[in-house]
Amino acid sequence: MSRDEILDRLRSEYMGRSLYYYDETDSTNARIGDLAGAGAPDGTLAVADKQTAGRGRRGRGWDSPPGMNIYMSLLLRPDMDPSDAPMITILMALAVCESATEVIGGENAGDDTPAARIKWPNDIVIRGRKVCGILTEMNMEAGCISGVIVGVGINVNQGERTLFPEEIRDTATSLKLECGHAIDRSILIAMIMERFEDLYGRFTDSGDLAYLTDRYDELLVSRDREVRVLDPQGEYTGISRGIDDRGELLVETPDGEVHRVYAGEVSVRGLYGYV
Ligand code: BTN
């Protein structure tokens, strides 16, 4: 993987065309934060082969060894209300999920071929194990969004489960571990940029996600399954019924009421591992 190789494979109009490539950096989200402050344009992408301080959600780290994975962050400069920004995570999850299934050959094959699924709202899983995490951060100036940073970490060519840190060994996987062959990282990055550009364009035109909810719900790991919602006001369980046109998860409780889950933890019962 190199800057030239990624540029060579890009088919998008502007997503990823302003491209910064690092053999090693602390965190691509941090790099994009700096670039945003320096006036970098909408669609600027930072890609690293290795991160020394990869950031995960909830203050956790993101294991980022060299030579095998994708660590990338995209800068967006949307003209939207800050409360709309979480919908961008939904778009990226869909773009990654569909692209991952395409590169592992998941949609054309028989029953035991894996396809990637979305664990709403930030993760992509294959056979119940996490293959990708998304960390979306927002920069504000005077009450307006000055930039949204969408950080994406994908385990691509990790060939041995033992290479994962012990604490995630049972719950993490890589594309290669699931499909049995190595994946060209530059091709996957280019695919994601192209898909995301299309999804983002339709979103900014229409202002909501109505055009993709059916497509998204097909890929939702929790769809029509019992989920536990870890609401700080009190946990509850219900059946996940997909997302609404703002990307909120609809959870139907036994009394027939449908709750809209805006963010936070939702665990899916009866599935392997952390999902
Ligand atoms: C999660 O906790 O699941 C989100 C992980 C996000 C990791 C990616 S790797 C590229 C980008 N840079 C970072 O420091 N974090 C994100």
Side-chain angles (χ1 to χ4, degrees):
M1 181 168 69
S2 67
R3 182 172 185 274
D4 284 349
E5 199 180 287
I6 298 168
L7 285 174
D8 194 51
R9 286 162 174 49
L10 274 181
R11 298 287 171 266
S12 51
E13 233 169 74
Y14 72 98
M15 289 293 171
R17 295 243 164 227
S18 161
L19 178 65
Y20 291 79
Y21 182 84
Y22 308 91
D23 287 326
E24 180 179 324
T25 191
D26 51 354
S27 153
T28 54
N29 270 32
R31 292 288 64 70
I32 283 291
D34 293 345
L35 288 161
D42 196 25
T44 297
L45 182 69
V47 177
D49 184 53
K50 173 185 176 183
Q51 294 183 123
T52 52
R55 299 182 196 159
R57 279 179 294 118
R58 276 179 245 106
R60 291 196 276 245
W62 185 259
D63 185 46
S64 308
M68 56 182 85
N69 294 329
I70 291 174
Y71 317 111
M72 64 178 181
S73 301
L74 184 64
L75 173 64
L76 300 170
R77 297 195 180 275
D79 180 14
M80 64 172 62
D81 195 85
S83 66
D84 291 346
M87 289 190 263
I88 292 173
T89 303
I90 301 282
L91 302 174
M92 184 55 87
L94 184 57
V96 173
C97 187
E98 291 182 342
S99 304
T101 294
E102 190 175 334
V103 292
I104 64 178
E107 75 259 87
N108 305 316
D111 286 348
D112 57 347
T113 304
R117 294 279 177 260
I118 300 167
K119 180 184 179 285
W120 179 91
N122 304 287
D123 295 348
I124 306 302
V125 302
I126 300 178
R127 293 192 181 113
R129 289 188 158 109
K130 177 164 169 173
V131 74
C132 164
I134 301 171
L135 174 66
T136 303
E137 298 177 308
M138 196 162 50
N139 289 347
M140 303 280 294
E141 258 167 44
C144 296
I145 295 179
S146 59
V148 174
I149 301 167
V150 192
V152 181
I154 310 174
N155 301 328
V156 182
N157 289 325
Q158 211 122 334
E160 302 281 342
R161 226 167 263 293
T162 49
L163 288 176
F164 289 112
E166 206 178 332
E167 59 281 11
I168 59 168
R169 207 164 285 163
D170 292 337
T171 54
T173 192
S174 73
L175 297 177
K176 184 177 178 190
L177 281 168
E178 296 302 322
C179 73
H181 59 83
I183 306 288
D184 182 321
R185 290 180 287 169
S186 305
I187 290 179
L188 181 52
I189 291 169
M191 258 183 200
I192 294 168
M193 286 301 113
E194 193 177 351
R195 269 204 173 81
F196 181 82
E197 182 173 273
D198 175 58
L199 291 166
Y200 185 68
R202 288 205 258 169
F203 166 61
T204 50
D205 286 348
S206 68
D208 67 34
L209 305 177
Y211 69 95
L212 63 68
T213 52
D214 287 348
R215 181 170 158 193
Y216 184 95
D217 289 348
E218 290 277 312
L219 301 175
L220 193 57
V221 78
S222 66
R223 188 170 192 192
D224 294 329
R225 285 176 179 266
E226 188 171 50
V227 294
R228 171 171 289 277
V229 180
L230 308 179
D231 187 327
Q233 322 235 297
E235 290 182 24
Y236 59 92
T237 56
I239 305 294
S240 157
R241 296 296 187 204
I243 57 167
D244 66 8
D245 59 13
R246 293 191 49 78
E248 294 160 339
L249 189 70
L250 302 169
V251 177
E252 186 180 343
T253 43
D255 57 8
E257 201 182 324
V258 177
H259 300 248
R260 285 165 201 276
V261 184
Y262 178 66
E265 259 314 87
V266 171
S267 68
V268 186
R269 299 173 117 203
L271 283 182
Y272 177 78
Y274 85 111
V275 294

